[in-house]
Amino acid sequence: APVIAALWTLGVRTRQCCQYNELADSAEISFPTASDMTAFVAALFPVGDDQTDELQSRIRDWDVHDPAPSPLRAGWRWVIAPEWTEGGWDFAGLVQFPPLDIPVITDRLRGSLGA
């Protein structure tokens, strides 16, 4: 709930979300447009590209290979598909991520709010 509340405060629209326990495969958020997905990523990484940021590397590579699998090393999965809206075609999407990333996501979004 804190992640979604922060996204809404930032003006990022969401469709639905699901949070499983920390040992589950993933939590997820769906977005009505590609612009909302982009705004989510921009709020997480307001300074832009930083390849030393472990979270940023995981959002780019959902197939992270690790010799000792860990929920903390799991990559993120992005799904996007075209959808007809009142204004024409757009892309709606879904992101799945490790539930253990939720505290980091929440802190970063709150930082974008200046909280």
Side-chain angles (χ1 to χ4, degrees):
V3 169
I4 300 304
L7 287 171
W8 290 348
T9 301
L10 289 165
V12 179
R13 297 172 301 151
T14 62
R15 280 194 168 161
Q16 66 181 34
C17 64
C18 192
Q19 176 184 338
Y20 307 101
N21 67 51
E22 67 255 4
L23 300 176
D25 179 51
S26 67
E28 61 188 46
I29 302 171
S30 65
F31 300 90
T33 69
S35 296
D36 290 300
M37 293 178 80
T38 300
F40 170 59
V41 173
L44 290 177
F45 308 105
V47 296
D49 187 30
D50 178 359
Q51 297 195 15
T52 64
D53 186 323
E54 184 180 343
L55 181 65
Q56 194 172 119
S57 68
R58 289 198 322 272
I59 75 159
R60 293 178 178 184
D61 185 7
W62 65 269
D63 193 20
V64 175
H65 298 282
D66 191 298
S70 161
L72 288 174
R73 281 290 300 152
W76 289 28
R77 294 177 191 97
W78 298 88
V79 179
I80 191 163
E83 185 171 293
W84 181 258
T85 68
E86 292 180 20
W89 286 103
D90 202 338
F91 285 88
L94 168 77
V95 61
Q96 298 174 323
F97 50 89
L100 292 173
D101 280 342
I102 291 171
V104 174
I105 295 167
T106 302
D107 288 346
R108 290 183 183 212
L109 293 175
R110 287 180 178 159
S112 289
L113 291 168

